[in-house]
């Protein structure tokens, strides 16, 4: 019979690409990892790894077993969460992780509905960028996540074995003062903004690459990750910015307008969880309310004229 501890070692080797890295991640010695792998290969009766430079890679049999291991881990996490949530606070406790716009736009409506219609279900929320959120879900540190990526991107590595629930899409928009020369435009091309100052977040690689492809380097006047601060600085005249409609529907203040950015892919917002988590009643209730909140938000975006509040 397969040993769960040996499957954990195999999965970590698959993730890290070496015995040394797997040992460090799991808090084992390297000889202990080697021993567990020898025992597992004896049980299976076939090689599971092969040398690849300074590391290792899984054989076809190893890859198949690693996929089964993830399914087993998912079922164990679901069972653990179901029992833990029943014990915690007399009902269901769901640990959520979400990117910033999701926290601001979708979770308040979700929390309100849970309070009114599922009073025994409680959530905790951690704000994190998609890369970190994905790892928290993968490791079992979070039960359900709100993540986003661009419509022209492939499924991120590590999500192939998880459950992705599409929620909504929104556009990337230029945010500016209402007295800006482009404020009366219906859409704006990035190339037209080459001579402007920008208030931008730290994670702006795609934006900077797009500017480079258009032949200019953006003048960054401020680097800020908090949306309210970005808008305050734009309102003060420090520069213009780019934000997505989801955040702008919640944040935009007087004196500012936003216009869609031409030739930019839609952003997709989706829920991410292990498939077995859907069988946990508390998680299923939270997911249903998030989907409802997303439908409402998508409808508001579709009917919005653009300027916001």
């Amino acid at each position: 019979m397969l040993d769960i501890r040996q499957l954990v070692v195999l999965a970590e080797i698959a993730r890290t690409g070496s015995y040394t890295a797997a040992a460090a991640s799991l808090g084992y010695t390297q000889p202990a990892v080697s021993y567990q792998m020898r025992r597992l290969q004896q049980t299976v009766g076939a090689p599971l790894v092969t040398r690849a430079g300074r590391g290792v890679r899984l054989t076809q049999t190893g890859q198949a077993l690693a996929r089964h291991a993830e399914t087993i881990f998912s079922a164990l996490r679901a069972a653990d969460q179901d029992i833990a949530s029943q014990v915690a606070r007399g009902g269901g406790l769901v640990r959520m992780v979400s990117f910033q716009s999701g926290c601001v736009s979708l979770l308040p409506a979700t929390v309100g509905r849970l309070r009114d219609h599922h009073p025994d279900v409680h959530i905790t929320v951690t704000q994190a960028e998609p890369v970190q959120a994905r790892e928290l879900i993968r490791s079992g540190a979070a039960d359900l996540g709100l993540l986003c990526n661009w419509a022209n991107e492939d499924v991120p590595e590590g999500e192939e074995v998880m459950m992705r629930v599409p929620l909504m899409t929104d556009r990337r928009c230029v945010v500016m003062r209402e007295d800006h020369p482009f404020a009366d435009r219906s859409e704006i091309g990035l190339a037209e903004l080459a001579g402007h100052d920008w208030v931008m977040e730290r994670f702006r690689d795609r934006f900077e690459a797009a500017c480079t492809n258009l032949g200019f380097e953006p003048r960054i006047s401020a680097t800020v990750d908090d949306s309210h601060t970005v808008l305050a600085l734009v309102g003060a005249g420090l520069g213009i910015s780019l934000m997505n409609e989801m955040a702008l529907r919640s944040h935009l203040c007087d004196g500012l307008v936003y216009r869609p950015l031409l030739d930019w892919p839609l952003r997709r917002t989706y829920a991410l969880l292990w498939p077995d988590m859907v069988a946990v009643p508390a998680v299923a209730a939270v997911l249903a309310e998030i989907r409802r909140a997303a439908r409402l938000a998508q409808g508001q975006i579709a009917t919005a004229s653009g300027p916001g509040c």
Side-chain angles (χ1 to χ4, degrees), residues 210-258:
C211 294
T212 298
N213 289 337
L214 291 171
F216 73 94
E217 181 178 348
R219 296 199 308 259
I220 306 298
S221 59
T223 297
V224 179
D225 287 332
D226 176 73
S227 298
H228 289 288
T229 305
V230 169
L231 294 176
L233 294 178
V234 172
L238 192 59
I240 61 176
S241 189
L242 296 180
M243 292 178 65
N244 279 74
E245 288 176 292
M246 181 191 291
L248 289 167
R249 292 296 298 169
S250 301
H251 287 348
L252 199 66
C253 31
D254 292 338
L256 299 180
V257 297
Y258 63 91

Side-chain angles (χ1 to χ4, degrees), residues 199-219:
V199 179
M200 296 294 293
E201 69 275 8
R202 282 180 299 159
F203 302 102
R204 53 177 184 256
D205 291 352
R206 177 180 287 266
F207 163 71
E208 291 180 337
C211 294
T212 298
N213 289 337
L214 291 171
F216 73 94
E217 181 178 348
R219 296 199 308 259

Side-chain angles (χ1 to χ4, degrees), residues 99 101-102 105 168 170 244-250 267 269:
F99 66 105
S101 295
S105 300
M168 61 181 293
D170 64 343
N244 279 74
E245 288 176 292
M246 181 191 291
L248 289 167
R249 292 296 298 169
S250 301
R267 184 179 67 173
T269 295

Side-chain angles (χ1 to χ4, degrees), residues 25-281:
S25 175
L26 295 171
Y28 294 172
T29 63
Q30 184 169 336
V33 167
S34 299
Y35 172 76
Q36 295 288 1
M37 285 301 298
R38 285 197 303 271
R39 293 292 303 273
L40 182 58
Q41 290 181 115
Q42 290 169 0
T43 300
V44 173
L48 299 176
V49 296
T50 184
R51 288 290 176 187
R54 294 186 177 181
V56 297
R57 61 179 176 83
L58 268 59
T59 64
Q60 185 173 356
T61 302
Q63 292 172 5
L65 184 56
R67 289 194 296 271
H68 285 297
E70 292 291 0
T71 301
I72 293 168
F73 300 153
S74 175
L76 289 173
R77 280 189 289 264
D80 181 67
Q81 171 59 12
D82 192 19
I83 299 303
S85 67
Q86 295 304 314
V87 173
R89 301 174 68 174
L93 177 64
V94 179
R95 300 164 300 167
M96 286 206 61
V97 60
S98 172
F99 66 105
Q100 185 182 44
S101 295
C103 287
V104 172
S105 300
L106 298 183
L107 290 189
T110 299
V111 171
R113 290 275 302 181
L114 289 172
R115 183 180 60 248
D116 295 339
H117 299 278
H118 306 277
D120 291 336
V121 175
H122 309 278
I123 67 172
T124 61
V125 179
T126 299
Q127 181 180 311
E129 292 299 313
V131 171
Q132 181 187 2
R134 190 177 303 116
E135 178 58 26
L136 291 173
I137 297 165
R138 190 202 70 79
S139 66
D143 306 311
L144 176 63
L146 289 180
L147 285 77
C148 62
N149 70 346
W150 301 107
N152 60 350
E153 292 179 331
D154 295 330
V155 174
E157 183 179 356
E159 291 188 12
E160 302 91 343
V161 294
M162 297 185 193
M163 180 178 178
R164 290 165 52 101
V165 181
L167 296 174
M168 61 181 293
T169 60
D170 64 343
R171 297 172 294 181
R172 195 71 164 158
C173 297
V174 183
V175 187
M176 68 201 96
R177 289 163 55 106
E178 60 185 9
D179 59 359
H180 191 280
F182 291 167
D184 60 349
R185 301 274 294 276
S186 59
E187 294 178 310
I188 302 172
L190 184 59
E192 301 175 89
L193 303 171
H196 286 69
D197 294 321
W198 295 87
V199 179
M200 296 294 293
E201 69 275 8
R202 282 180 299 159
F203 302 102
R204 53 177 184 256
D205 291 352
R206 177 180 287 266
F207 163 71
E208 291 180 337
C211 294
T212 298
N213 289 337
L214 291 171
F216 73 94
E217 181 178 348
R219 296 199 308 259
I220 306 298
S221 59
T223 297
V224 179
D225 287 332
D226 176 73
S227 298
H228 289 288
T229 305
V230 169
L231 294 176
L233 294 178
V234 172
L238 192 59
I240 61 176
S241 189
L242 296 180
M243 292 178 65
N244 279 74
E245 288 176 292
M246 181 191 291
L248 289 167
R249 292 296 298 169
S250 301
H251 287 348
L252 199 66
C253 31
D254 292 338
L256 299 180
V257 297
Y258 63 91
R259 299 291 181 259
L261 186 64
L262 279 171
D263 301 322
W264 200 270
L266 291 173
R267 184 179 67 173
R268 299 179 295 197
T269 295
Y270 58 96
L272 184 69
L273 67 164
W274 287 103
D276 292 278
M277 282 293 177
V278 179
V280 179

